[in-house]
Amino acid sequence: MLKIYNSLTNQKEKFTPIVKNKVNMYVCGMTVYDYCHLGHARVMVAFDVVYRYLTATGYDVNYVRNITDIDDKIIQRANENGEDFGALTERFIDAMHEDERALGVLEPTAEPKATENIEAILAMITKLIDTGYAYRGTIKDGASDVYYDVSKFTEYGKLSGRNPDDLRSGERVAVNTDKDDPLDFVLWKVAKADEPSWDSPWGKGRPGWHIECSAMSTQLLGNNFDIHGGGHDLQFPHHENEIAQSEACTGEKFANYWMHNGFIRIDEEKMSKSLGNFFTIRDVLKDYNAEVVRYFMLTSQYRSPLNYSTEQLDSAKSALDRLYTSIRSLSLNIDDAEVDSVYETRFLGAMNDDFNTPEALSVLFDISKEINRKIDDEKMEGAVKLGNILLRLVTLLGLLESDVETWFKGEGIHDGMDNNAIDELVQQRIDAKAAKDWARADEIRDQLQAQGISLEDTGPKTIWRRN
């Protein structure tokens, strides 16, 4: 029985989909004006695991993750670069997809863009105005901003637990504000000169950030759907505002389960561009295999904060080395994996407890240890049986997807000796041993060890790995 921590109720709840064996899930995606950083990677990986697990356990999952391709930061960056905003966003969308593929993140079912859903956004704003939940600001030359009237939605604050009166008391209201209430938020923004814009009943402009997600999620998943996810920093105001405008528009509950992943932290501070302490995914991938980064993301339960350091990544690399080592000498077939083993029962129990990946990983290492014992005792049939179980379970986390020998050779993730040069030296050592030139064989071994290359002789064959 799967239980999910619901941010709306602040407790774990049994997961019951609206339609049996089907799941509709929406996750707030990236605003594409720059390369994705590790905080984005955590959103990608956390909900990729949710997607994989729900699919593997029998659900037909409709997974929608949006792209915000118009907002102030995008316009500012495009102007700074002297390029069209569409060219900018497409460039960074391509880069985002490259990062996702590197991290083993599966494509969502749908990936809608804000600019391709203007009609649905206009329809939702129009209905909010007609029903009294939204109003026009000061009209100039027939154009105006449009705001959501927070005071009309009596349940405002139910996701974040924030009281509107307390929020108002902490606001500094500008002298000439165009809003009736400091908590009101923009649904439609009048375009400034030379800004991208679309026609609307309120003049040329563009959508506010919050309304795009409400319009796209309800259009693709219905007024009421199962899971809405995103980073913890989106809980307020973004997700709170989504609930307010969506439920006011449709008269139905918006999402049944709300999931929020924790922050990546650097030296115990939240990683963010505003603090200047962020690392892009591609910068980290220059030094570490993408699977190491993915594994690192899974070492903490998705709701918990995760502290980034090179020591943590090195530890993740060593952990993956142990898993790969345990299956290195085995000929495995995932289709032959035993179903309902004691290990699978434990693994599923961990994942059913709000996707507890650290506990699930511990099960994998218990299997790995037992495989090594079987190999040491020359009980290869038992080792293969366990290896197949390991492959079956680890697939649900998107790990061990590299070729084993490629993994140990670390192709593309090192600054040391070229692989071809290593292969040549290894062959020279094999030839030296065959000629009983032990001094030369030892010399080559020492030369490779100095370069961080370990050798393992298995009969006539020698395999190598980077330390």
Side-chain angles (χ1 to χ4, degrees), residues 57-307:
T57 50
Y59 290 103
D60 177 14
V61 185
N62 187 7
Y63 174 25
V64 178
R65 189 186 63 219
N66 78 296
I67 294 175
T68 297
D69 62 343
I70 184 67
D71 85 333
D72 291 341
K73 292 177 181 177
I74 290 171
I75 294 171
Q76 180 181 345
R77 182 62 58 84
N79 289 340
E80 290 171 353
N81 293 352
E83 66 179 316
D84 176 74
F85 88 96
L88 174 86
T89 57
E90 285 304 311
R91 181 157 52 87
F92 285 117
I93 288 171
D94 289 343
M96 177 185 72
H97 288 156
E98 289 174 2
D99 292 340
E100 288 168 353
R101 286 191 292 270
L103 291 169
V105 173
L106 302 177
E107 292 182 8
T109 312
E111 198 173 43
K113 301 175 185 175
T115 60
E116 294 176 352
N117 287 272
I118 299 297
E119 186 175 334
I121 291 169
L122 294 177
M124 182 169 272
I125 296 173
T126 298
K127 187 169 183 180
L128 288 170
I129 292 175
D130 291 344
T131 54
Y133 282 96
Y135 60 92
R136 297 184 68 174
T138 302
I139 301 173
K140 182 178 180 181
D141 298 327
S144 69
D145 293 338
V146 178
Y147 298 98
Y148 184 90
D149 188 346
V150 168
S151 69
K152 296 292 179 65
F153 189 72
T154 58
E155 293 185 287
Y156 191 81
K158 65 180 179 179
L159 177 67
S160 61
R162 305 192 186 198
N163 184 295
D165 290 335
D166 293 340
L167 291 169
R168 288 188 185 95
S169 65
E171 287 282 345
R172 295 179 62 186
V173 183
V175 176
N176 294 317
T177 181
D178 201 29
K179 298 188 291 186
D180 292 346
D181 185 309
L183 295 188
D184 294 350
F185 54 90
V186 69
L187 301 174
W188 188 260
K189 302 178 73 169
V190 174
K192 298 175 184 176
D194 300 323
E195 281 190 346
S197 64
W198 289 263
D199 291 329
S200 83
W202 321 288
K204 284 187 172 295
R206 55 190 170 85
W209 177 34
H210 311 301
I211 193 68
E212 68 175 71
C213 284
S214 288
M216 288 186 285
S217 60
T218 54
Q219 184 180 37
L220 291 170
L221 301 176
N223 295 342
N224 172 227
F225 53 91
D226 298 295
I227 298 172
H228 194 310
H232 181 73
D233 55 332
L234 300 184
Q235 189 170 0
F236 184 86
H238 184 53
H239 290 164
E240 194 75 69
N241 292 349
E242 277 190 68
I243 289 175
Q245 61 201 6
S246 300
E247 295 188 359
C249 185
T250 68
E252 299 180 43
K253 185 176 183 178
F254 184 38
N256 290 351
Y257 300 85
W258 286 82
M259 299 177 65
H260 293 96
N261 65 272
F263 296 131
I264 298 282
R265 303 178 72 84
I266 309 291
D267 296 327
E268 302 307 324
E269 272 195 315
K270 177 197 169 188
M271 187 181 73
S272 71
K273 290 182 178 178
S274 61
L275 294 175
N277 65 345
F278 71 98
F279 296 90
T280 67
I281 296 171
R282 51 193 52 214
D283 281 344
V284 176
L285 295 188
K286 291 176 183 176
D287 298 314
Y288 291 92
N289 185 292
E291 194 171 343
V292 171
V293 179
R294 184 181 179 96
Y295 182 96
F296 163 67
M297 297 289 171
L298 302 181
T299 56
S300 180
Q301 205 267 356
Y302 76 91
R303 287 188 289 116
S304 302
L306 182 59
N307 201 52

Side-chain angles (χ1 to χ4, degrees), residues 352-366:
N352 282 336
D353 182 18
D354 194 32
F355 308 99
N356 189 339
T357 53
E359 184 62 29
L361 288 173
S362 73
V363 176
L364 300 181
F365 281 100
D366 286 346

